[in-house]
Amino acid sequence: MTKFVVKVVQGQSRTAGTKAKNDVVAFLNEIGYATIDYHVLNNKYLRVLFGTLQWRRSLKKIKPQDIVVYQYPAYSRFLGDKFIQEIKRRNAKAYIILHDVNSLRMYKESLADQRRELAFFENFDGIIAHNEHMKRWLREHGVNKPIVSLGIFDYVTNYPMSEKQVTNTVAYTGNLEKSIFLKKLKINTPIKLYGVRPQSPYPDNIEYRGSFEADKLGQVVNEGFGLVWDGESIDTCSGVLGEYLKFNNPHKTSFYLSKGMPVIIWSKAALADFVKINDCGITISSLRDLSETLSKLTDERKRSIKNNALIVGEKVRDGFFLKQALRKLMI
């Protein structure tokens, strides 16, 4: 039995969209998984025309009972369908790692699209979901295959962890165009922004520091805490983005912890459970309370959550959570 992980390639950008998938490949390579490269054709019609042929070439080494790890979504439903058809034709086993679930993420997703997506998941021998909240939702919507919770995404890094004492400064990273709440966040706490598409003007306490490739970002972010928040409101994480936070594991959380930075996260976010259990940050219901909450943290409390963030960060940098989840699926 040989183990493989699929790497689907299509372009590059300064968002974290492809990094999580590339990191999965890198961590699985460390434990003996061979990489199957699949290059997506830019032309939609050529993808449809040659999709099956491409998969047959990419998967020609797969034998019965081999294991193939597939990462979802991968640019095209059509190509996903062709992938699973070829895996079944070879009598191999396939596990799927969910990076996004469109039925949860897109409010315009129709019932038919939702059913198709969930039916696609059912084709796999096992599923890695983000957390227990996502796992429960999948179960409630009819997915019966074995499901394991990841806990948090791991993060490949080449920068040192921050050992410095925690200060009451906050970093926020990501696609700033979606983060409308930042324009309303006029508080006493200094906040540094890193990412694409800044939406200035921002309040005086907020400073935009620029956009960086994922592997460079860790070299420039040096604030005390990392913020995990989304949507338009500072009182709650509202709308589609807020609802999605109740189920997903934002990749920026993994980035902060890979730096050894404690996180500040919405109390109703799915990952708030992880932060509480590992005591690697603080949860908050409204950003109006942020400055007061930080001011009440004692030096001893800051040292404690900093130490825990370093412990979790080491695991994140080592691929601990992904490797653990796959071991659980295969038992």
Side-chain angles (χ1 to χ4, degrees):
M1 179 187 71
T2 308
K3 298 176 182 178
F4 300 89
V5 57
V6 175
K7 182 178 182 180
V8 177
V9 181
Q10 186 185 51
Q12 295 180 342
S13 70
R14 285 196 175 185
T15 68
T18 58
K19 176 168 173 53
K21 293 176 181 176
N22 290 339
D23 286 359
V24 165
V25 174
F27 284 125
L28 293 189
N29 287 165
E30 289 179 2
I31 56 174
Y33 283 70
T35 302
I36 294 173
D37 289 311
Y38 185 93
H39 294 270
V40 178
L41 299 174
N42 290 327
N43 186 289
K44 178 180 178 180
Y45 298 103
L46 292 178
R47 285 203 302 268
V48 172
L49 187 62
F50 296 109
T52 301
L53 178 61
Q54 278 184 280
W55 276 125
R56 287 183 178 174
R57 287 176 175 172
S58 297
L59 300 173
K60 62 183 179 181
K61 64 184 75 172
I62 304 300
K63 298 179 176 58
Q65 300 308 307
D66 281 350
I67 290 174
V68 184
V69 173
Y70 182 83
Q71 301 189 70
Y72 179 91
Y75 304 105
S76 167
R77 287 179 174 177
F78 172 81
L79 294 180
D81 291 340
K82 294 301 178 184
F83 165 80
I84 202 65
Q85 288 173 16
E86 289 302 311
I87 289 295
K88 289 185 173 183
R89 196 166 72 88
R90 288 165 168 76
N91 293 316
K93 292 185 177 181
Y95 297 106
I96 186 170
I97 298 174
L98 305 182
H99 288 272
D100 276 307
V101 176
N102 291 330
S103 302
L104 283 168
R105 186 168 63 100
M106 298 180 181
Y107 71 97
K108 292 183 179 180
E109 196 83 335
S110 69
L111 184 59
D113 286 336
Q114 181 186 107
R115 287 173 176 168
R116 177 177 176 177
E117 182 174 52
L118 298 177
F120 179 70
F121 298 162
E122 276 286 295
N123 287 308
F124 288 80
D125 296 281
I127 301 165
I128 296 180
H130 289 203
N131 50 62
E132 288 298 310
H133 296 271
M134 182 179 285
K135 177 180 176 178
R136 188 180 308 117
W137 186 90
L138 292 170
R139 285 278 182 250
E140 290 171 352
H141 287 77
V143 178
N144 296 311
K145 290 299 177 68
I147 306 174
V148 168
S149 294
L150 179 62
I152 192 170
F153 280 101
D154 299 297
Y155 203 96
V156 170
T157 67
N158 59 4
Y159 45 77
M161 299 183 82
S162 174
E163 301 282 351
K164 71 176 186 177
Q165 185 177 354
V166 175
T167 61
N168 290 355
T169 58
V170 176
Y172 184 83
T173 66
N175 184 343
L176 302 177
E177 184 178 38
K178 299 188 302 179
S179 308
I180 306 301
F181 75 91
L182 290 166
K183 301 186 74 171
K184 307 172 185 177
L185 194 54
K186 188 176 182 180
I187 58 178
N188 293 328
T189 302
I191 298 174
K192 312 297 183 183
L193 306 184
Y194 304 84
V196 296
R197 304 183 185 95
Q199 302 295 297
S200 57
Y202 290 116
D204 292 340
N205 61 299
I206 294 181
E207 178 186 355
Y208 177 62
R209 301 296 298 273
S211 172
F212 301 89
E213 299 289 350
D215 59 348
K216 302 292 184 185
L217 188 61
Q219 299 174 19
V220 296
V221 176
N222 284 298
E223 283 64 46
F225 290 86
L227 176 62
V228 183
W229 198 271
D230 229 327
E232 298 187 3
S233 173
I234 64 173
D235 294 307
T236 186
C237 290
S238 58
V240 177
L241 297 175
E243 284 300 309
Y244 195 42
L245 270 181
K246 295 178 180 178
F247 298 98
N248 80 319
N249 290 354
H251 203 234
K252 68 184 66 180
T253 318
S254 302
F255 165 71
Y256 299 141
L257 289 168
S258 77
K259 281 282 296 182
M261 294 170 59
V263 299
I264 300 165
I265 190 168
W266 182 40
S267 58
K268 293 183 180 179
L271 262 182
D273 294 345
F274 181 93
V275 172
K276 290 176 184 176
I277 291 170
N278 292 279
D279 197 24
C280 56
I282 59 176
T283 64
I284 194 167
S285 58
S286 170
L287 289 177
R288 293 185 192 274
D289 304 327
L290 180 56
S291 295
E292 182 181 358
T293 299
L294 291 177
S295 69
K296 290 180 177 179
L297 292 177
T298 64
D299 289 342
E300 181 181 0
R301 179 69 183 131
K302 288 180 182 178
R303 283 193 295 270
S304 176
I305 59 176
K306 173 66 174 182
N307 183 60
N308 291 331
L310 289 168
I311 292 171
V312 175
E314 289 287 2
K315 291 182 177 181
V316 164
R317 294 163 69 104
D318 191 46
F320 171 85
F321 296 97
L322 172 63
K323 296 169 187 176
Q324 175 181 252
L326 275 172
R327 283 195 299 268
K328 289 180 179 178
L329 264 187
M330 294 179 187
I331 293 176

